[in-house]
Amino acid sequence: MERMKPRNVLLLTLLLMTSAAAIAQTTGSSFQIRGQVLDSLSREGEPYATIKITKRQNPTKPVKMLVTDTNGNFKEKIAGVGDFVMLITSMGRNSIVKSFSVKAGEEEVNFGTLYITDNAKELQGVEVVAQKPLVKADIDKIEYNVQDDPDAQSNSVLEMLRKVPLVTVDGEDKIQVNGSSSFRVYVNGKPNNMMSNNPTEVLKSMPANSIKHIEVITNPGPKYDAEGVGGILNIVTVGSGMQGYMLTLRGNVSTTGAGGGLFGTVQKGKLTVSGRYNYNAGYGPRSYRGGYQDQEPKEETPTHMEYSGSSKSTSSFQSGSIEASYEIDTVQLVSLSFGLWGGGNDGNTVSDYYNINSRNPSSFYKYANRSTSKSSWYSIDGGIDYQLTSRTVKDRLFTLSYKINTRPQTSDSYSEKSHIENTPEWQSSIDKLTDEHNDGSQNTTEHTFQADYSTPIHKIHTLEGGLKYILRNNISEDYRYLRDDANSAYDQRDDERSSHYKHLNDILSAYAGYALRVKKISARAGLRYERTMQHVKYLLGAGENFKKNFNDVVPSASLGYKITDFSNLRLGYNMRIYRPGIWALNPYINNTIPSYVSRGNPELESEKSHSFNLAYSNFTPKFNLNVSANYAFTNNSIESVISLVDESDIPGFPEDQMTHEKVLYTTYDNIGKSRRFNLSGYANWNISGTTRLYVNLYGGYSYLEGAVGQRNDGWMMFVYGGFQQTFKYDWRLSLNVMHQTPSVMLQGKSSVYTDYSMSLNKTFLKKRLTLSAFAGNFLGKYQRFSSSFSGADFAQGSWSRMVRQRFGFSVSYRIGELKASVKKAARTISNDDVKGGGGEEGTSTTTN
């Protein structure tokens, strides 16, 4: 074979080395793409959008396929260099096409924010409709997308809560979060104490189509106040994050009331202003209630008492807010807000009472009681936030905030006795029956100052900290007036059974938190310190002035592991406290019904609860699942205690009114111990692009301890399920059903509840006009509920027959285009430290 010349060998060697280097550059190099796809109108993330990356010279052969996550984010490594094309597609949307080039040595291509728009032609007369995600699971919260649920067009917020994971609403509209009736309510990331104190009344009056989504924050971090054993409900209203000028008008009418509302936003230069207002008038059809009470005191005469009656009411509710922001420059933002929530109730009740000697039924007394009442409750607040962002460090924030809030409440009631009959031995009880006029008012005014700071460190670390000071002034006045006879005026003030006191609170708090994100792991830990200084002054009535201070250190921690792009595992611990509210503390003695006496306890201390939770989320395009387990214990819970006592054993009971007979006495005390284990599950099956089947489950075991050896335990289960079907031309049908077994209480159990409903809605004029009709419990007008309590020497039960049947119709119309948003400070004031009836970045998963 002919021998190669040295020069040819050298040329061949150089050629091979050059080719190898070129191949290495082409195949060995890699880069990362990242970005976020948002809806062009709502600015919400576009989940599950398909992304295809191809070489420009070979557009039919993809080099990488991926999908966006639940918030519309995407991030992926791609091998090679050169010219590429990115195609983003999503059902019912116009495609996004981006061409880009990558040179050797480039590590990342950041597309930033990409906006996707509706394909009007594809959506018109659509046969197959993409099911939007309704539930998101984050490291410390669950989010339910109310706006994308068709039932929101015809239901109230209270009815929609039955669909939210970790929340239960029974047949009498009592709300629990994570198995506890102690929770806090926020609106747009800010606490609303009036809603926390009256959640059922307020949320029943709010139309669900004014709500964007509801967050259940189960593991609040250190930046949140330590109050709320069950967690936090954050209700985000429509308009938060909206873009441009827009006006939406709404109206609704049903068998239980009517109402309407509007929302609008407009921008001019650097100033953006938005506002909304809702009003609802409610009608409560006549309902019926009754019950019994058996007393068997040792060595005394046993008695049996029965009562029955009916009531009806009317109510009104209104809410409104104005928000504005001004960008001083690219790093400074000032935002202002004003809000009003509240309403009133008018009611009348007629009841008959019959009391006998259990051993001698011929010994009795009976009477009729007629009562009328008027009440009002409002929450008015305003705030200002200043936010400074860093020019050099992304996501570094410093905010200063101030908030003022006042919550006036009034109550005015009359109680008149008639048709009195009795045998002589009951005369002392009859002498206590008086006609009464009770005039009460409460008001809480608070000023809050807050500073927050947050900064990232080396991309994977985040530190945060803050200080907060609250000056809170609670005032309670309850005056009782008597009269000589039915024809006289109520001009005799009963100072012994009236009260007027001030409850002054100064609360100082500081917190620090740390967050970590490393590949698939997210973690948070924090510590919060709160010092509460209370001063109670009695201006009228029984009670002595006193001062009491609390010092609470509240830890929290959470850990998340991202198993895949669409599933994660979350573990958390938090400690929560529950400070008694003004009603639980008020020593006012209420003995309108002589055999029932109630009084608050001004010596209550804060309740402390420890909670551990484990949660798992996973989904496929067809089936979505979120499951969580929670164990919580409390050793000093505040419990309502019912006991059979002599009047002389009740603190502050007027001596001249004592008959030394046994009465059923209700008060509050730190005597409770509880152990609760709960399981929660949410599942959604997208049978097709037009059919959705879903279920929300909550249940568990409770063990409760109280005073003098009281114990109770048992299981409960809450199930809410439904079916939604989309037809041609945007017709949508929903069917829902709810069932709850009796809840376990320290001295008894509640009733069994069942509820069902259906709704139908249709959109017109390119989805600007929406008409909805609904019906609930349509097979029967009334439903009956019952509950029972018992103690060592007494037993009592109650029943109610209420109108649960309802029919209604609603309409909504949107005018304008969306182009600008009210910018808000990333941190603002959140006062959630009083007991009442914004998530952060982390590993997240969305379920439908």
Side-chain angles (χ1 to χ4, degrees), residues 416-537:
E416 299 174 354
K417 314 300 188 294
S418 63
H419 299 88
I420 300 174
E421 296 182 32
N422 66 284
T423 53
E425 61 272 18
W426 291 101
Q427 189 59 44
S428 60
S429 296
I430 294 299
D431 292 340
K432 293 191 296 184
L433 298 178
T434 58
D435 292 346
E436 299 172 0
H437 171 209
N438 290 277
D439 185 10
S441 65
Q442 295 79 38
N443 187 45
T444 298
T445 301
E446 63 184 28
H447 301 268
T448 306
F449 306 86
Q450 183 169 323
D452 299 279
Y453 178 73
S454 175
T455 182
I457 301 176
H458 301 304
K459 294 185 179 180
I460 65 173
H461 307 280
T462 301
L463 293 177
E464 63 178 357
L467 297 170
K468 185 175 183 178
Y469 186 47
I470 304 173
L471 296 132
R472 179 178 294 141
N473 184 4
N474 300 310
I475 299 176
S476 175
E477 297 182 63
D478 290 282
Y479 296 109
R480 178 180 292 191
Y481 297 90
L482 306 176
R483 64 181 181 177
D484 292 326
D485 54 59
N487 298 317
S488 305
Y490 289 96
D491 54 4
Q492 303 172 31
R493 193 171 81 175
D494 184 357
D495 287 343
E496 290 185 344
R497 290 188 290 175
S498 298
S499 73
H500 179 191
Y501 77 96
K502 292 183 178 181
H503 182 196
L504 309 177
N505 269 338
D506 286 357
I507 303 173
L508 177 64
S509 59
Y511 76 90
Y514 168 75
L516 172 70
R517 297 195 69 189
V518 181
K519 296 182 179 179
K520 294 186 176 184
I521 297 176
S522 297
R524 293 197 192 104
L527 198 65
R528 185 179 187 88
Y529 168 75
E530 294 188 356
R531 176 172 174 81
T532 305
M533 296 156 281
Q534 297 190 46
H535 186 191
V536 178
K537 298 179 180 179

Side-chain angles (χ1 to χ4, degrees), residues 291-451:
Y292 69 90
Q293 177 193 124
D294 288 318
Q295 299 181 9
E296 296 185 3
K298 295 180 179 180
E299 300 179 359
E300 294 188 31
T301 302
T303 61
H304 174 79
M305 190 269 286
E306 294 182 0
Y307 67 93
S308 62
S310 65
S311 64
K312 62 185 304 182
S313 64
T314 59
S315 64
S316 64
F317 171 78
Q318 58 181 324
S319 66
S321 66
I322 297 176
E323 296 177 336
S325 69
Y326 183 78
E327 297 178 77
I328 301 174
D329 53 34
T330 57
V331 297
Q332 297 184 88
L333 174 70
V334 175
S335 57
L336 301 97
S337 63
F338 171 81
L340 166 70
W341 304 76
N345 293 279
D346 293 345
N348 66 79
T349 302
V350 178
S351 301
D352 294 316
Y353 293 85
Y354 184 67
N355 200 321
I356 64 172
N357 181 331
S358 299
R359 297 172 182 167
N360 181 16
S362 62
S363 174
F364 73 95
Y365 76 90
K366 64 179 181 178
Y367 66 95
N369 182 74
R370 177 182 178 86
S371 63
T372 58
S373 63
K374 290 185 177 182
S375 63
S376 67
W377 34 270
Y378 285 93
S379 177
I380 306 168
D381 61 70
I384 182 170
D385 301 293
Y386 169 76
Q387 176 178 287
L388 176 65
T389 59
S390 173
R391 296 182 186 273
T392 58
V393 181
K394 184 181 179 182
D395 295 329
R396 177 176 289 173
L397 295 173
F398 174 70
T399 59
L400 292 172
S401 304
Y402 167 74
K403 178 181 177 181
I404 182 173
N405 174 260
T406 183
R407 300 187 296 278
Q409 300 182 53
T410 64
S411 60
D412 189 31
S413 65
Y414 292 84
S415 176
E416 299 174 354
K417 314 300 188 294
S418 63
H419 299 88
I420 300 174
E421 296 182 32
N422 66 284
T423 53
E425 61 272 18
W426 291 101
Q427 189 59 44
S428 60
S429 296
I430 294 299
D431 292 340
K432 293 191 296 184
L433 298 178
T434 58
D435 292 346
E436 299 172 0
H437 171 209
N438 290 277
D439 185 10
S441 65
Q442 295 79 38
N443 187 45
T444 298
T445 301
E446 63 184 28
H447 301 268
T448 306
F449 306 86
Q450 183 169 323

Side-chain angles (χ1 to χ4, degrees), residues 149-151 163 694 722-725 732-736 757-761:
D149 190 327
D151 290 346
K163 293 188 173 188
Y694 49 87
F723 167 85
Q724 290 180 349
Q725 178 67 47
R732 297 197 181 198
L733 174 69
S734 295
L735 302 173
N736 299 290
S757 63
M758 64 180 297
S759 65
L760 181 67
N761 67 71

Side-chain angles (χ1 to χ4, degrees), residues 691-705:
T691 306
R692 185 200 303 270
L693 191 66
Y694 49 87
V695 63
N696 182 23
L697 302 169
Y698 188 90
Y701 173 79
S702 298
Y703 174 81
L704 308 174
E705 286 187 15

